[in-house]
Structure formats: C-alpha cells, structure tokens
C-alpha cells in the first residue's frame, strides 16, 4: 500500500536528475520511478554521480545503461534542467525545453508541431519566444486544434503538452490545509470519539506544583489540572504538590480542549 503511494507521488512530482547528482539524498525516491525499482535505480544513480551531470534525456539510455523498456517507462518522470550549466549541444534548443517537462520523447514531434502552428513563424522553436510569450499557448483551443489535425484520439496528450510547454513539471498537487480539529487529532493521535470535552481519561503526573499540576494523556497530550479544579474526596486542596507526585496516575475529566494550542484543561471527578 505505502509502496504504491510512493510510486504514484514520485511519478507525479518527477525527479530532477542534475539536481540529484549534486545532492545525492534527492536520489532516494528514484527507486519508485516507473520502470526502475531498487536495483536499476541504484545502478543508474552510481552512473549519474560518476558523470557529474547529464545534458539530455537520451543519455540515460546511451551513456547510463537504461534498457529500452526501462527507458521508455521511466524517462517521462525524469527531467533534465541545466541549473546554470551551458553546453554548445543543448544551449537554447527546443529539446532542452522538452527534456525539462513531463512530455515523453515519443511525443516530442507533436510538441514541435504544436509550437510551430501556434507561433506560426520560423523563430517559434526558440526557447525565449516560448517562455516569454506563453499566452499564445494558453489561448489555444485544444479541442479545435485536435480536430484540425485529426488527432482527436490524442486529446489528453495534447492537453498535457500545452500545459508542460507553459510550465514544465509544474506541481499539480493541490495545497491541503487541515482545519483546527484535523490538526489537533492528527497531532495527538486521538479521535473525537476517544478524546473530547467531558471524556474520562487517565492522566500521568509530569510535574506537581502548588497551584497547578502538569499531566499528559494518551500519546502525550499536555494537560493542566489547576488547584481550583481538583478536589480530594470532596475537600479542597491548598497545595497540589502535597497530594501528587511525578508518575502518579489520576482519573480526571477533560474540562476543556484548546485545540489550536494542543493542550487540555482537566478537572477531578
């Protein structure tokens, strides 16, 4: 289960090969890239670290030993960015842009044709033109374009190409924000059924002071039991430290939960 989640997320986010070669800890998810696995990933990592950098995706197969099947399965999730490095073979070329996207090499010709059609001039393949004027691609009606090219069966591929040309490997995950209740129960490991105001709990004394006792409940939720909220067999206690010591287990009731602060207020039964 967890392995499948790692595969899904890793392939969704992708792996920046050149960044990983200079920061090897980034290679950790490489084994979850489709078509690889632990053994092929380890071999590829060793080869990439030795080479220092990679200029094109194709080098994964020609210089770093990826077989045809593994290459075709993995290459769409491995992207190449130069991070300030320049080379006469790749500088300002269209393939440089495509190697930094989710566009699979098998779809590079479709991407090239789309760019030529959208920009409609001889300079359309220049990287600067594409990156400086993404509005041309944003306005493209993919459905109409697909029909004009008789590529209705490639609609999803064309949508992906346009998205990646505008911003390659954009993180498509949505920000997920926990509300106050979700944050509280995630941090404490409890649920609203096991811990809520009015719940009876077993609290462990961690520190006993005259006016307040600090306790923990469950997986470690910090709780405070104040002198005015504690009675021993019906009688009030003037100094809590006289009747409690560290390690004592006392049965209390949750008087109030302060979920934002992740703390609770207790009272005696």
């Amino acid at each position: 289960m967890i392995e499948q989640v790692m595969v899904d997320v890793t392939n969704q986010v992708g792996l920046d090969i050149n960044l990983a070669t200079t920061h090897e800890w980034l290679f950790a998810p490489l084994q979850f890239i489709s078509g690889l696995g632990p053994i092929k990933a380890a071999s590829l990592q060793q080869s990439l670290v030795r080479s220092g950098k990679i200029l094109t995706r194709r080098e994964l197969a020609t210089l770093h030993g990826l077989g045809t099947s593994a290459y075709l399965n993995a290459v769409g999730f491995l992207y190449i960015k130069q991070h300030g490095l320049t080379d006469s073979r790749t500088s300002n070329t269209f393939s440089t842009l495509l190697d930094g996207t989710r566009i699979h090499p098998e779809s590079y010709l479709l991407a090239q044709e789309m760019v030529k059609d959208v920009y409609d001039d001889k300079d359309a393949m220049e990287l600067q033109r594409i990156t400086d004027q993404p509005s041309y691609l944003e306005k493209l009606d993919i459905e109409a374009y697909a029909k004009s090219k008789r590529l209705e069966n490639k609609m999803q591929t064309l949508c992906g190409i346009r998205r990646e040309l505008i911003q390659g490997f954009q993180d498509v995950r949505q920000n997920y924000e926990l509300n106050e209740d979700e944050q509280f129960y995630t941090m404490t490991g409890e649920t609203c059924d096991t811990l809520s105001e009015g719940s009876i709990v077993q609290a462990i004394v961690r520190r006993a002071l005259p006016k307040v006792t600090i306790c923990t409940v469950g997986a470690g939720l910090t709780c405070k039991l104040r002198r005015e909220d504690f009675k021993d067999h019906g009688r009030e206690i003037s100094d809590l430290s006289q009747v409690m010591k560290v390690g004592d287990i006392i049965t209390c009731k949750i008087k109030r939960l302060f979920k934002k602060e992740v703390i609770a207020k207790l009272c005696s039964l």
Side-chain angles (χ1 to χ4, degrees):
M1 178 66 179
I2 187 64
E3 184 175 351
Q4 185 58 54
V5 172
M6 290 298 297
V7 170
D8 292 343
V9 173
T10 301
N11 289 317
Q12 186 181 51
V13 175
L15 183 64
D16 185 336
I17 290 296
N18 281 338
L19 188 61
T21 58
T22 56
H23 302 79
E24 286 193 52
W25 58 272
L26 291 174
F27 274 121
L30 183 61
Q31 63 179 305
F32 300 110
I33 293 290
S34 290
L36 299 183
I39 296 176
K40 290 179 183 177
S43 177
L44 179 59
Q45 177 179 344
Q46 291 175 2
S47 180
L48 289 167
V49 170
R50 283 196 301 267
S51 72
K53 70 173 182 178
I54 187 171
L55 298 175
T56 69
R57 274 175 164 168
R58 188 60 193 164
E59 291 180 14
L60 292 169
T62 59
L63 299 180
H64 298 284
L66 273 188
T68 301
S69 179
Y71 172 79
L72 292 176
N73 283 322
V75 69
F77 311 111
L78 303 172
Y79 59 97
I80 314 299
K81 292 187 180 297
Q82 298 307 323
H83 300 291
L85 300 172
T86 58
D87 187 277
S88 59
R89 290 171 291 168
T90 60
S91 180
N92 199 38
T93 64
F94 188 61
S95 61
T96 301
L97 172 65
L98 297 183
D99 281 347
T101 71
R102 291 182 177 88
I103 301 171
H104 196 281
E106 291 182 331
S107 298
Y108 279 10
L109 289 178
L110 284 176
Q112 291 172 2
E113 187 175 357
M114 178 184 291
V115 169
K116 287 179 180 178
D117 291 338
V118 169
Y119 290 91
D120 195 29
D121 63 46
K122 64 181 180 180
D123 296 325
M125 304 306 287
E126 293 184 3
L127 285 179
Q128 202 62 36
R129 179 75 188 277
I130 299 170
T131 55
D132 287 351
Q133 297 178 313
S135 60
Y136 283 73
L137 287 164
E138 291 169 352
K139 294 175 182 177
L140 176 64
D141 185 334
I142 288 293
E143 185 173 353
Y145 178 76
K147 288 181 179 179
S148 70
K149 293 291 183 178
R150 297 182 179 179
L151 293 171
E152 291 91 342
N153 62 327
K154 296 282 187 179
M155 187 79 70
Q156 187 173 356
T157 299
L158 293 173
C159 286
I161 289 173
R162 181 182 64 173
R163 182 183 63 245
E164 291 300 306
L165 287 173
I166 294 171
Q167 186 172 358
F169 262 100
Q170 180 180 14
D171 194 341
V172 296
R173 294 172 298 175
Q174 299 294 317
N175 289 331
Y176 180 70
E177 295 184 4
L178 299 174
N179 61 38
E180 189 175 278
D181 280 357
E182 290 172 329
Q183 287 181 335
F184 177 80
Y185 289 116
T186 297
M187 294 178 68
T188 60
E190 303 284 352
T191 68
C192 58
D193 294 324
T194 61
L195 188 68
S196 59
E197 292 181 2
S199 295
I200 306 300
V201 295
Q202 299 292 311
I204 302 174
V205 176
R206 301 302 183 186
R207 188 179 182 189
L209 301 173
K211 294 184 178 181
V212 63
T213 294
I214 308 300
C215 308
T216 57
V217 168
L221 174 65
T222 300
C223 305
K224 293 183 178 180
L225 176 60
R226 297 190 177 279
R227 182 175 61 187
E228 58 267 26
D229 293 319
F230 180 79
K231 292 184 179 180
D232 185 17
H233 296 92
R235 62 187 181 89
E236 295 183 355
I237 303 299
S238 59
D239 186 346
L240 293 177
S241 63
Q242 297 298 311
V243 295
M244 298 180 192
K245 64 180 184 298
V246 174
D248 282 353
I249 299 177
I250 55 177
T251 302
C252 300
K253 182 168 68 175
I254 300 290
K255 184 176 182 179
R256 187 175 179 187
L257 289 175
F258 298 91
K259 294 179 179 177
K260 186 175 181 179
E261 295 80 12
V262 194
I263 196 169
K265 187 176 182 180
L266 302 175
C267 65
S268 59
L269 298 178

